[in-house]
């Protein structure tokens, strides 16, 4: 056993060997970000299955080691730590708040508008999307694990990029990771842009007597987000997500309470039996994008204190999200019918609109750090993977975050159409990361172990995701160009 440890430790990068903080008490060989060519993302924690990750004691010393030897690549090398980020493990509740923040976000405001264009089928789509997104989240995490010689599941991959590289290894060792990283960054940036767009819209309708344009309000909201450049831990993001979710529940309560006071005006006749095909496809994109969280799942699961609780956490977060979204969208649409606007708070009476809009503004600003942090960490680790000292300084990390803040502002200034932009993002990157890639990767890595039913399910999800992505992308772009 001592010889095995010697062989393992001699293969570790010199910087890790020289970092004493990694070897105090219980040493976790994953307290740093991954910068290896095939293992890069914004947060890393190699976690073995609880049955496989018991503490190992060295015979001649008090140190305990909990190591995960990656079986994906025999040339695998442990990365050097990045000085700008710190990993603190999160509980299942904190992981659930992050998932809830992603799938129960500000984009729920577009669901009543989606029902306007999709009719009864929209209600079915909200439920179906929740089930499918929960399923693809589980199979994506399953791709991180392989069975060892003892039949135990071991976490041999750490990020979405690792999964892509494993699937495309015969074609090219890097092409899969590049595609996934580009897609991830695109979706995360678009999410940040949408938060700025909706913040400007909310401020405009909250203070209509102030002679300021929507774009100017977006700039003002941008200024309040400048402290995001100093966020460097997922623990901080989790706390902000928790506050964001509490604000969200308060908003839903206020809007639904008002809708219930108008129950005498409700009529199921407001639902369309016949729908416009193009409008329906845009609605599909809106609904899909409101459930996307797959980008965050590998990192969240790897940073959980008990990864064995991940599947249960995913079940209850998606279940409650589905119930709340369906109830909210249905009551709001029944209240306003054909007069339903892109952002549902615009339909509220003036005495409630300002209060709710300010709460939504708070929620949008609190939601921004999660996708922003994820996008900047992906780009930062990709840039600094060569271990160049000039690219690994905290000042350079601040520069990357500051550049991303500016990019989201500039794009928010030029594309202000909230629902159409959300539909475009959901149709392109949302569908790819949520449906196409998880099902494709699961089939590739687990084909021999899947039952016929599981294979059919994955193929069906892939085909459905491809059709929705293609059609929704065409219709959303057409809608944007006609504005």
């Amino acid at each position: 056993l001592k010889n095995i440890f010697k062989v393992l430790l001699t293969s570790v990068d010199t910087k890790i060997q020289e970092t004493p903080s990694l070897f105090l008490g219980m040493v976790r060989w994953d307290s740093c970000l991954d910068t290896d060519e095939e293992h890069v993302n914004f947060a890393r924690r190699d976690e073995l299955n609880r049955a496989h990750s018991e503490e190992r004691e060295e015979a001649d010393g008090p140190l305990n080691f909990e190591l995960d030897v990656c079986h994906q690549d025999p040339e695998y090398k442990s990365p050097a730590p990045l000085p700008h980020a710190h990993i603190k493990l999160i509980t299942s509740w904190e992981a659930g708040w992050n998932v809830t923040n992603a799938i129960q976000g500000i984009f729920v405001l577009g669901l009543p508008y989606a029902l306007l264009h999709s009719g009864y089928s929209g209600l079915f789509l909200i439920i179906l999307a929740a089930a499918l997104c929960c399923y693809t989240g589980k199979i994506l995490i399953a791709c991180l694990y392989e069975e060892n010689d003892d039949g135990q599941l071991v976490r041999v991959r750490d990020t979405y990029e690792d999964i892509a590289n494993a699937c495309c290894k015969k074609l090219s060792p890097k092409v899969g990771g590049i595609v996934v990283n580009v897609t991830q960054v695109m979706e995360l940036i678009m999410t940040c842009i949408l938060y700025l767009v909706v913040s400007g819209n909310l401020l405009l309708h909250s203070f209509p007597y102030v002679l300021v344009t929507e774009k100017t309000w977006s700039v003002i909201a941008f200024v309040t987000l400048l402290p995001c450049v100093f966020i460097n831990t997922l623990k901080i993001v989790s706390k902000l997500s928790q506050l964001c979710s509490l604000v969200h529940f308060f908003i839903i309560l206020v809007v639904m309470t008002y809708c219930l006071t108008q129950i005498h005006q409700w009529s199921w006749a407001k639902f369309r039996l016949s729908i416009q095909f193009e409008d329906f496809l845009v609605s599909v994109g809106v609904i899909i994008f409101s459930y996307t969280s797959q980008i965050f799942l590998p990192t969240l699961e790897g940073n959980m204190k008990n990864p064995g609780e991940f599947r249960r956490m995913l079940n209850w977060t998606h279940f409650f999200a589905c119930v709340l979204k369906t109830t909210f969208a249905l009551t709001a649409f029944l209240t306003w019918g054909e007069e339903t606007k892109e952002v549902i708070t615009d339909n509220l009476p003036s005495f409630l609109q300002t209060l709710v809009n300010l709460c939504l503004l708070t929620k949008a600003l609190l939601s921004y750090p999660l996708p922003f942090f994820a996008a900047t960490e992906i780009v930062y680790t990709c840039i600094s993977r060569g271990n160049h000292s000039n690219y690994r300084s905290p000042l350079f990390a601040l520069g990357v975050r500051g550049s991303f803040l500016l990019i989201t502002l500039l794009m928010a200034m030029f594309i202000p159409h909230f629902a159409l932009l959300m539909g475009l993002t959901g149709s392109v990157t949302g569908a790819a990361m949520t449906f196409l890639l998880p099902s494709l990767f699961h089939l590739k890595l687990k084909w021999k172990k899947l039952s016929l039913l599981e294979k059919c399910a994955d193929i069906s999800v892939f085909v459905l995701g491809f059709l929705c992505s293609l059609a929704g992308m065409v219709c959303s772009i057409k809608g944007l160009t006609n504005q």
Side-chain angles (χ1 to χ4, degrees):
L1 182 61
K2 188 186 298 184
N3 291 334
I4 293 176
F5 277 123
K6 287 181 180 179
V7 173
L8 291 174
L9 294 177
T10 53
S11 66
V12 181
D13 187 89
T14 305
K15 291 185 178 180
I16 294 182
Q17 294 179 5
E18 295 175 351
T19 306
S21 61
L22 293 178
F23 298 92
L24 296 176
M26 171 67 73
V27 178
R28 291 184 180 276
W29 198 11
D30 50 57
S31 59
C32 58
L33 291 180
D34 192 14
T35 57
D36 186 80
E37 290 184 356
E38 294 188 60
H39 297 75
V40 178
N41 210 324
F42 64 92
R44 168 181 169 84
R45 179 178 181 266
D46 293 332
E47 179 69 24
L48 297 181
N49 183 276
R50 291 299 174 186
H52 186 71
S53 62
E54 297 181 355
E55 297 175 356
R56 303 172 185 175
E57 298 183 359
E58 189 171 358
D60 299 331
L63 295 181
N64 293 326
F65 293 86
E66 183 175 337
L67 303 180
D68 181 11
V69 182
C70 184
H71 303 292
Q72 177 182 334
D73 192 335
E75 298 180 356
Y76 171 75
K77 297 180 181 180
S78 293
L82 296 183
H84 77 288
H86 311 279
I87 302 301
K88 294 183 178 180
L89 301 185
I90 59 177
T91 64
S92 299
W93 280 102
E94 289 174 326
W97 286 121
N98 279 307
V99 174
T100 299
N101 183 24
I103 66 176
Q104 193 78 310
I106 198 75
F107 310 113
V108 72
L109 301 178
L111 292 181
Y113 185 74
L115 286 187
L116 174 65
H117 294 292
S118 58
Y120 285 101
S121 59
L123 293 175
F124 174 73
L125 285 174
I126 293 175
I127 300 173
L128 179 63
L132 292 179
C133 289
C134 184
Y135 172 75
T136 56
K138 292 176 182 178
I139 63 175
L140 178 65
I141 297 303
C143 292
L144 298 174
Y145 290 83
E146 295 290 349
E147 289 186 0
N148 61 8
D149 295 337
D150 298 327
Q152 297 172 323
L153 288 177
V154 181
R155 199 175 200 268
V156 297
R157 305 177 187 97
D158 308 301
T159 66
Y160 215 141
E161 182 188 9
D162 292 346
I163 299 173
N165 284 332
C167 292
C168 302
K169 192 173 183 179
K170 293 183 179 180
L171 177 64
S172 174
K174 297 182 180 180
V175 65
I178 293 174
V179 172
V180 166
N181 276 342
V182 170
T183 306
Q184 285 186 106
V185 173
M186 283 180 57
E187 181 175 351
L188 292 167
I189 289 179
M190 295 294 278
T191 303
C192 292
I193 294 168
L194 289 175
Y195 285 132
L196 279 178
V197 170
V198 75
S199 295
N201 179 275
L202 292 169
L203 284 170
L204 178 66
H205 288 86
S206 298
F207 306 102
Y209 47 84
V210 180
L211 300 179
V212 175
T213 64
E214 183 175 341
K215 292 182 179 180
T216 304
W217 281 122
S218 295
V219 174
I220 295 174
F222 166 80
V223 172
T224 65
L225 293 170
L226 290 178
C228 288
V229 299
F230 300 106
I231 297 177
N232 63 353
T233 67
L234 192 60
K235 192 81 172 179
I236 296 176
V237 177
S238 297
K239 298 299 183 183
L240 294 175
S241 295
Q242 183 176 2
L243 293 175
C244 177
S245 298
L246 294 176
V247 174
H248 174 81
F249 294 141
F250 174 76
I251 295 169
I252 295 297
L253 178 63
V254 172
V255 175
M256 291 185 61
T257 300
Y258 174 79
C259 291
L260 290 174
T261 63
Q262 306 298 313
I263 195 171
H264 60 278
Q265 299 180 1
W266 290 9
S267 173
W268 289 96
K270 295 179 180 179
F271 274 96
R272 296 181 179 181
L273 294 177
S274 60
I275 58 176
Q276 294 274 339
F277 184 67
E278 292 186 2
D279 292 338
F280 171 75
L281 291 177
V282 174
S283 298
V284 171
V286 172
I287 293 172
I288 289 175
F289 190 65
S290 71
Y291 278 109
T292 54
S293 65
Q294 275 70 8
I295 285 180
F296 313 108
L297 297 185
T299 298
L300 289 177
E301 193 264 355
N303 282 273
M304 289 175 63
K305 293 180 180 178
N306 186 4
E309 298 178 355
F310 176 82
R311 293 175 66 90
R312 184 170 56 185
M313 179 274 294
L314 207 62
N315 286 336
W316 64 257
T317 51
H318 282 74
F319 173 77
F320 284 113
C322 178
V323 171
L324 287 174
K325 286 181 180 182
T326 303
T327 305
F328 175 77
L330 181 60
T331 55
F333 178 74
L334 288 176
T335 301
W336 288 288
E338 295 292 333
E339 298 178 359
T340 301
K341 298 181 180 179
E342 288 186 6
V343 181
I344 195 61
T345 54
D346 293 346
N347 290 101
L348 290 172
S350 57
F351 71 92
L352 279 179
Q353 193 174 95
T354 301
L355 172 63
V356 174
N357 282 349
L358 290 177
C359 291
L360 285 170
L361 174 64
T362 303
K363 175 176 173 54
L365 297 178
L366 289 173
S367 298
Y368 187 95
L370 178 59
F372 172 78
F373 178 77
T376 54
E377 289 301 305
I378 290 173
V379 173
Y380 182 86
T381 50
C382 287
I383 294 175
S384 60
R385 71 174 61 192
N387 296 327
H388 300 295
S389 59
N390 293 335
Y391 296 146
R392 303 176 66 79
S393 66
L395 184 61
F396 180 74
L398 289 176
V400 172
R401 299 189 192 112
S403 300
F404 266 72
L405 270 174
L406 185 59
I407 289 173
T408 58
L409 173 65
L410 293 177
M411 294 191 68
M413 299 284 285
F414 290 102
I415 312 177
H417 300 288
F418 175 67
L420 290 174
L421 181 60
M422 185 167 63
L424 175 61
T425 308
S427 299
V428 183
T429 60
M433 301 301 293
T434 306
F435 296 128
L436 299 179
L437 297 183
S439 57
L440 182 63
F441 293 161
H442 195 233
L443 287 170
K444 172 67 176 177
L445 296 174
K446 307 291 183 180
W447 178 264
K448 295 181 179 180
K449 299 180 181 179
L450 296 178
S451 64
L452 179 60
L453 181 61
E454 290 172 324
K455 292 178 182 178
C456 292
D458 287 351
I459 293 174
S460 299
V461 170
F462 180 85
V463 173
L464 178 63
F466 176 78
L467 294 177
C468 291
S469 177
L470 181 62
M473 178 180 62
V474 173
C475 296
S476 297
I477 292 177
K478 181 178 179 181
L480 283 172
T481 55
N482 291 337
Q483 296 297 320

